[in-house]
Amino acid sequence: MKNSDIADELSLLSKMLDLHNQDAELAKSLSNAAFQIDRYTSEMSSMPRNNIYQLRGITNAIADFIFELLDTNTLNILQHWLQNTPDGILQMMQIKGLGPKKLRIVWKEMNIENPSELLYACNENRLVAYKGFGEKLQQSILDATEFYLNSNGKYLYAKVKYFSEQLLLYFTQLKKWQVSLTGDIRRQSNIIEFVEYVIVGKAESIASNLDAQYFTEINIEDKIILCTSHGIPIKLYCCKANEFGTLVFTTTGSSDFVNDFQNQYSISTCSDEAEIFTSQQLPFISPVIREYTVANTLALPQNNWIQFADIKGIIHNHSTYSDGANTLQEMALACKNSGYAYLVISDHSQYAAYANGLRPERIAEQHKEIEELNKTLAPFKIFKSIECDILPDGNLDYTSEILNSFDVIVASVHSVLNMTEEKAMARLLKAIENPYTNILGHPTGRLLLGRAGYPLDMKKIIDACAANNVVLELNANPRRLDLDWQWLPYAVEKNVLISINPDAHKVEGIADNEYGVYAAQKAGLLASQNLSSFTLQQFEQFIIHQHTKRP
Ligand SMILES: [Zn+2]
Ligand SMILES: [Zn+2]
């Protein structure tokens, strides 16, 4: 074992001891020894053992660790602590700027167990509530975590959408190439591995025309150019002009869709993709919905899908009353100035203590402020709402009396996420059946590229929402997009309303609705099927109707 490896092992042990709050003294001397060992010019493996005791920074205890490493290539005590550290915590140790002592607070006090949860907490401005975590540190942890997650090779649609459009312009306008977006990004998929294009031209000549200052790691494999730009992986399919349409078609659809199409129809060689449909007397199927079988796809509405401009009200948002970064007034003004008709403010309920959830006194205070703001902002209107925790037993977080004081109740699960399907179903069904529940918030609790949701029988959840007249949220935060678009057709079939909500924790978050709309388009959702597209008057009617459920 080389000195540098020994130093790494001792340094990791030092971090583990700090992380688990063990022997601070030993941790400190280990870290110091690791630093010194890295600078020794002669290898300890070829030294007489007695000499090792004489080296700078080496105590007797540390010398024993070194001998153990030299003899066995491993350290028992280190293995012990590694085995007692969850994978997500080990992953977070790779995040720059998050030392073991801070990580301990993140883990033990904030109950954050993996990088995605950490990123989410930073975005929700949650770290600053803890001692030693200022706004600056939170921002640098956020940046480092994003970097860490991106380097896993997968990207949220929101992260690469505008980049992909810029690159398309660069290809078409600067390079004058005939180009189309293709693949996952053309289908508005939630998660993207490559940004893909079809380009007319020879792979070798296109590759040699890619400016080295923007494109790196250029490789050609069988008419496909693989490269990266700004660290994002790119795939360029190269072809002749007369096969352009065919290649765009075969690389756009999911393999399920393309295979199914191929089994039923012939795919002609053509320069224009539209010919593939017209030659089979089929309507042009939008690339966005080419996911399942052709028949499934054709059963969806083919046009008039919901657009971003169809969002009329901003539902499910947070303010400084709980864990938001902007005041209620700032949130309301931002909505009003952007032309929205209403804001539904849904701060966290009292059970969510980590998010500064509202105790009854604070609710009264907020309601008073809403009433005052509504006088000055009319006809714009703020609705009294709460994102009410669904407690582990399925009950809502307040008494009926308090629940009655809200216009709208968004019920969500935020804690005790590790559940069997049986437990999760019982918990959610009880909440859906609660007569105060109007909207089920982020139904599965998943974080894209982060954590799977709790296990649910989603059909049964949708059936229960239908039976109890509960709206299903499509949380538009690009990291959630929960409920997943795949379930929208079934919800629509059961007449369950969807609500595209930004869950904004600051003014900028309001615009996240855009990504909810892109996801909803993948299911052909219409504006009339979305609650947040209701006009103010329709929304007030909706509330009156919902309140008839209350005892
Ligand atoms: Zn929530
Ligand atoms: Zn929320």
Side-chain angles (χ1 to χ4, degrees), residues 8 14 67 69 134 143 149 156 168 176 194 221 228 245 283 296-297 339 383 405 416 434 458 488 523 528:
D8 287 348
S14 158
F67 300 151
L69 278 169
D143 293 341
L149 288 170
L156 296 176
L168 185 66
K176 309 280 181 206
F194 291 92
E221 275 173 33
T228 60
N296 273 332
T297 309
F383 288 93
S405 71
V416 196
N434 190 307
M458 193 45 78
L488 301 188
S528 59

mmCIF file of all heavy atoms in Angstrom, residues 8 14 67 69 134 143 149 156 168 176 194 221 228 245 283 296-297 339 383 405 416 434 458 488 523 528:
data_model
loop_
_atom_site.group_PDB
_atom_site.id
_atom_site.type_symbol
_atom_site.label_atom_id
_atom_site.label_comp_id
_atom_site.label_asym_id
_atom_site.label_seq_id
_atom_site.Cartn_x
_atom_site.Cartn_y
_atom_site.Cartn_z
ATOM 1 N N ASP A 8 -5.347 8.371 2.414
ATOM 2 C CA ASP A 8 -6.781 8.392 2.079
ATOM 3 C C ASP A 8 -7.616 7.628 3.108
ATOM 4 O O ASP A 8 -8.680 8.081 3.527
ATOM 5 C CB ASP A 8 -7.032 7.777 0.689
ATOM 6 C CG ASP A 8 -6.577 8.707 -0.422
ATOM 7 O OD1 ASP A 8 -6.290 9.887 -0.124
ATOM 8 O OD2 ASP A 8 -6.502 8.251 -1.582
ATOM 9 N N SER A 14 -11.060 9.503 9.761
ATOM 10 C CA SER A 14 -11.236 10.730 10.520
ATOM 11 C C SER A 14 -12.622 11.321 10.256
ATOM 12 O O SER A 14 -13.342 11.721 11.179
ATOM 13 C CB SER A 14 -10.137 11.721 10.127
ATOM 14 O OG SER A 14 -10.531 13.032 10.432
ATOM 15 N N PHE A 67 0.037 -0.153 10.448
ATOM 16 C CA PHE A 67 0.494 -1.552 10.347
ATOM 17 C C PHE A 67 -0.647 -2.446 9.863
ATOM 18 O O PHE A 67 -0.458 -3.320 9.031
ATOM 19 C CB PHE A 67 1.013 -2.062 11.695
ATOM 20 C CG PHE A 67 2.190 -1.264 12.215
ATOM 21 C CD1 PHE A 67 2.422 -1.136 13.590
ATOM 22 C CD2 PHE A 67 3.072 -0.633 11.336
ATOM 23 C CE1 PHE A 67 3.496 -0.401 14.071
ATOM 24 C CE2 PHE A 67 4.151 0.107 11.820
ATOM 25 C CZ PHE A 67 4.355 0.226 13.186
ATOM 26 N N LEU A 69 -3.128 -1.594 8.002
ATOM 27 C CA LEU A 69 -3.314 -1.337 6.571
ATOM 28 C C LEU A 69 -2.238 -2.034 5.747
ATOM 29 O O LEU A 69 -2.528 -2.651 4.713
ATOM 30 C CB LEU A 69 -3.290 0.168 6.297
ATOM 31 C CG LEU A 69 -4.589 0.919 6.554
ATOM 32 C CD1 LEU A 69 -4.359 2.425 6.499
ATOM 33 C CD2 LEU A 69 -5.656 0.506 5.532
ATOM 34 N N GLY A 134 -25.416 29.453 6.879
ATOM 35 C CA GLY A 134 -25.891 30.744 6.374
ATOM 36 C C GLY A 134 -26.399 30.603 4.954
ATOM 37 O O GLY A 134 -26.320 29.532 4.351
ATOM 38 N N ASP A 143 -25.166 24.479 -5.208
ATOM 39 C CA ASP A 143 -24.401 24.384 -6.463
ATOM 40 C C ASP A 143 -23.624 23.070 -6.533
ATOM 41 O O ASP A 143 -23.635 22.390 -7.557
ATOM 42 C CB ASP A 143 -23.426 25.558 -6.588
ATOM 43 C CG ASP A 143 -24.162 26.882 -6.769
ATOM 44 O OD1 ASP A 143 -25.351 26.850 -7.156
ATOM 45 O OD2 ASP A 143 -23.558 27.943 -6.514
ATOM 46 N N LEU A 149 -25.124 15.722 -8.736
ATOM 47 C CA LEU A 149 -26.233 14.968 -9.338
ATOM 48 C C LEU A 149 -26.128 14.947 -10.859
ATOM 49 O O LEU A 149 -26.379 13.925 -11.490
ATOM 50 C CB LEU A 149 -27.576 15.567 -8.904
ATOM 51 C CG LEU A 149 -27.933 15.305 -7.446
ATOM 52 C CD1 LEU A 149 -29.131 16.135 -7.029
ATOM 53 C CD2 LEU A 149 -28.215 13.825 -7.212
ATOM 54 N N LEU A 156 -32.449 16.556 -15.522
ATOM 55 C CA LEU A 156 -33.861 16.893 -15.553
ATOM 56 C C LEU A 156 -34.139 17.624 -16.860
ATOM 57 O O LEU A 156 -33.305 18.409 -17.324
ATOM 58 C CB LEU A 156 -34.214 17.818 -14.389
ATOM 59 C CG LEU A 156 -34.042 17.240 -12.997
ATOM 60 C CD1 LEU A 156 -34.345 18.312 -11.958
ATOM 61 C CD2 LEU A 156 -34.946 16.035 -12.798
ATOM 62 N N LEU A 168 -29.828 24.001 -31.112
ATOM 63 C CA LEU A 168 -30.562 23.841 -32.368
ATOM 64 C C LEU A 168 -30.403 25.094 -33.239
ATOM 65 O O LEU A 168 -30.159 25.004 -34.446
ATOM 66 C CB LEU A 168 -32.045 23.575 -32.079
ATOM 67 C CG LEU A 168 -32.926 23.270 -33.297
ATOM 68 C CD1 LEU A 168 -32.513 21.944 -33.946
ATOM 69 C CD2 LEU A 168 -34.401 23.198 -32.903
ATOM 70 N N LYS A 176 -25.977 26.425 -40.684
ATOM 71 C CA LYS A 176 -26.860 26.233 -41.849
ATOM 72 C C LYS A 176 -27.080 24.754 -42.157
ATOM 73 O O LYS A 176 -27.202 24.353 -43.314
ATOM 74 C CB LYS A 176 -26.289 26.936 -43.111
ATOM 75 C CG LYS A 176 -25.909 28.388 -42.899
ATOM 76 C CD LYS A 176 -27.110 29.297 -42.944
ATOM 77 C CE LYS A 176 -26.707 30.767 -42.755
ATOM 78 N NZ LYS A 176 -27.803 31.575 -42.188
ATOM 79 N N PHE A 194 -29.141 12.047 -23.083
ATOM 80 C CA PHE A 194 -28.430 12.720 -24.164
ATOM 81 C C PHE A 194 -29.365 13.757 -24.761
ATOM 82 O O PHE A 194 -30.560 13.524 -24.843
ATOM 83 C CB PHE A 194 -28.101 11.740 -25.306
ATOM 84 C CG PHE A 194 -27.086 10.707 -24.959
ATOM 85 C CD1 PHE A 194 -27.473 9.474 -24.467
ATOM 86 C CD2 PHE A 194 -25.736 10.971 -25.145
ATOM 87 C CE1 PHE A 194 -26.532 8.510 -24.153
ATOM 88 C CE2 PHE A 194 -24.794 10.022 -24.835
ATOM 89 C CZ PHE A 194 -25.185 8.781 -24.335
ATOM 90 N N GLU A 221 -19.209 6.984 -34.024
ATOM 91 C CA GLU A 221 -19.491 5.556 -33.999
ATOM 92 C C GLU A 221 -20.607 5.286 -34.985
ATOM 93 O O GLU A 221 -21.765 5.618 -34.701
ATOM 94 C CB GLU A 221 -19.974 5.118 -32.606
ATOM 95 C CG GLU A 221 -18.867 4.801 -31.625
ATOM 96 C CD GLU A 221 -19.431 4.537 -30.230
ATOM 97 O OE1 GLU A 221 -20.556 4.006 -30.120
ATOM 98 O OE2 GLU A 221 -18.742 4.885 -29.260
ATOM 99 N N THR A 228 -19.716 16.150 -25.982
ATOM 100 C CA THR A 228 -20.339 16.888 -24.894
ATOM 101 C C THR A 228 -20.174 18.372 -25.173
ATOM 102 O O THR A 228 -19.252 18.803 -25.861
ATOM 103 C CB THR A 228 -19.684 16.590 -23.524
ATOM 104 O OG1 THR A 228 -18.321 16.960 -23.617
ATOM 105 C CG2 THR A 228 -19.789 15.142 -23.130
ATOM 106 N N GLY A 245 -36.338 12.327 -42.777
ATOM 107 C CA GLY A 245 -37.652 12.107 -42.140
ATOM 108 C C GLY A 245 -37.721 10.763 -41.445
ATOM 109 O O GLY A 245 -38.230 10.646 -40.323
ATOM 110 N N PRO A 283 -53.249 10.422 -38.906
ATOM 111 C CA PRO A 283 -52.980 11.812 -38.549
ATOM 112 C C PRO A 283 -51.528 11.920 -38.071
ATOM 113 O O PRO A 283 -50.961 10.926 -37.612
ATOM 114 C CB PRO A 283 -53.946 12.076 -37.385
ATOM 115 C CG PRO A 283 -54.204 10.730 -36.798
ATOM 116 C CD PRO A 283 -54.121 9.747 -37.930
ATOM 117 N N ASN A 296 -52.845 3.314 -28.394
ATOM 118 C CA ASN A 296 -52.911 4.124 -27.166
ATOM 119 C C ASN A 296 -52.715 5.597 -27.467
ATOM 120 O O ASN A 296 -53.375 6.465 -26.913
ATOM 121 C CB ASN A 296 -51.792 3.713 -26.201
ATOM 122 C CG ASN A 296 -52.202 2.560 -25.325
ATOM 123 O OD1 ASN A 296 -53.390 2.405 -25.044
ATOM 124 N ND2 ASN A 296 -51.255 1.765 -24.917
ATOM 125 N N THR A 297 -51.750 5.843 -28.332
ATOM 126 C CA THR A 297 -51.408 7.210 -28.683
ATOM 127 C C THR A 297 -52.557 7.894 -29.407
ATOM 128 O O THR A 297 -52.889 9.038 -29.133
ATOM 129 C CB THR A 297 -50.147 7.185 -29.570
ATOM 130 O OG1 THR A 297 -49.170 6.390 -28.915
ATOM 131 C CG2 THR A 297 -49.590 8.553 -29.802
ATOM 132 N N GLY A 339 -50.220 38.586 -14.380
ATOM 133 C CA GLY A 339 -51.510 38.411 -15.057
ATOM 134 C C GLY A 339 -52.360 37.269 -14.534
ATOM 135 O O GLY A 339 -53.393 36.950 -15.125
ATOM 136 N N PHE A 383 -56.445 33.041 -1.846
ATOM 137 C CA PHE A 383 -57.277 32.086 -1.117
ATOM 138 C C PHE A 383 -56.508 31.531 0.077
ATOM 139 O O PHE A 383 -55.299 31.322 0.009
ATOM 140 C CB PHE A 383 -57.713 30.952 -2.049
ATOM 141 C CG PHE A 383 -58.735 31.390 -3.051
ATOM 142 C CD1 PHE A 383 -58.338 31.821 -4.313
ATOM 143 C CD2 PHE A 383 -60.089 31.396 -2.733
ATOM 144 C CE1 PHE A 383 -59.277 32.246 -5.240
ATOM 145 C CE2 PHE A 383 -61.034 31.820 -3.657
ATOM 146 C CZ PHE A 383 -60.627 32.248 -4.906
ATOM 147 N N SER A 405 -61.485 26.688 8.648
ATOM 148 C CA SER A 405 -61.168 28.091 8.394
ATOM 149 C C SER A 405 -60.451 28.311 7.056
ATOM 150 O O SER A 405 -60.219 29.438 6.661
ATOM 151 C CB SER A 405 -60.312 28.647 9.542
ATOM 152 O OG SER A 405 -59.014 28.090 9.491
ATOM 153 N N VAL A 416 -41.934 10.242 7.423
ATOM 154 C CA VAL A 416 -42.110 8.789 7.511
ATOM 155 C C VAL A 416 -42.460 8.250 6.118
ATOM 156 O O VAL A 416 -43.536 7.732 5.871
ATOM 157 C CB VAL A 416 -43.206 8.392 8.538
ATOM 158 C CG1 VAL A 416 -43.086 6.914 8.892
ATOM 159 C CG2 VAL A 416 -43.111 9.226 9.807
ATOM 160 N N ASN A 434 -61.011 11.865 3.819
ATOM 161 C CA ASN A 434 -61.292 12.948 4.766
ATOM 162 C C ASN A 434 -62.083 14.052 4.056
ATOM 163 O O ASN A 434 -61.664 14.541 3.006
ATOM 164 C CB ASN A 434 -59.964 13.501 5.305
ATOM 165 C CG ASN A 434 -60.170 14.450 6.474
ATOM 166 O OD1 ASN A 434 -60.934 15.408 6.376
ATOM 167 N ND2 ASN A 434 -59.504 14.163 7.573
ATOM 168 N N MET A 458 -51.634 2.939 -7.691
ATOM 169 C CA MET A 458 -52.095 4.245 -8.158
ATOM 170 C C MET A 458 -53.510 4.184 -8.727
ATOM 171 O O MET A 458 -54.267 5.140 -8.611
ATOM 172 C CB MET A 458 -51.102 4.804 -9.180
ATOM 173 C CG MET A 458 -51.303 6.277 -9.493
ATOM 174 S SD MET A 458 -51.558 7.365 -8.050
ATOM 175 C CE MET A 458 -49.890 7.513 -7.461
ATOM 176 N N LEU A 488 -52.137 10.283 -16.003
ATOM 177 C CA LEU A 488 -53.164 11.267 -16.310
ATOM 178 C C LEU A 488 -54.315 10.699 -17.147
ATOM 179 O O LEU A 488 -55.479 10.986 -16.861
ATOM 180 C CB LEU A 488 -52.555 12.508 -16.983
ATOM 181 C CG LEU A 488 -51.476 13.250 -16.184
ATOM 182 C CD1 LEU A 488 -51.108 14.556 -16.881
ATOM 183 C CD2 LEU A 488 -51.912 13.529 -14.755
ATOM 184 N N ALA A 523 -49.572 13.549 -21.900
ATOM 185 C CA ALA A 523 -50.774 12.730 -21.751
ATOM 186 C C ALA A 523 -51.942 13.357 -22.489
ATOM 187 O O ALA A 523 -53.080 12.932 -22.334
ATOM 188 C CB ALA A 523 -51.104 12.564 -20.273
ATOM 189 N N SER A 528 -59.351 22.246 -19.748
ATOM 190 C CA SER A 528 -60.591 22.060 -18.982
ATOM 191 C C SER A 528 -60.463 20.956 -17.937
ATOM 192 O O SER A 528 -61.268 20.846 -17.032
ATOM 193 C CB SER A 528 -61.739 21.725 -19.933
ATOM 194 O OG SER A 528 -61.417 20.547 -20.651
#
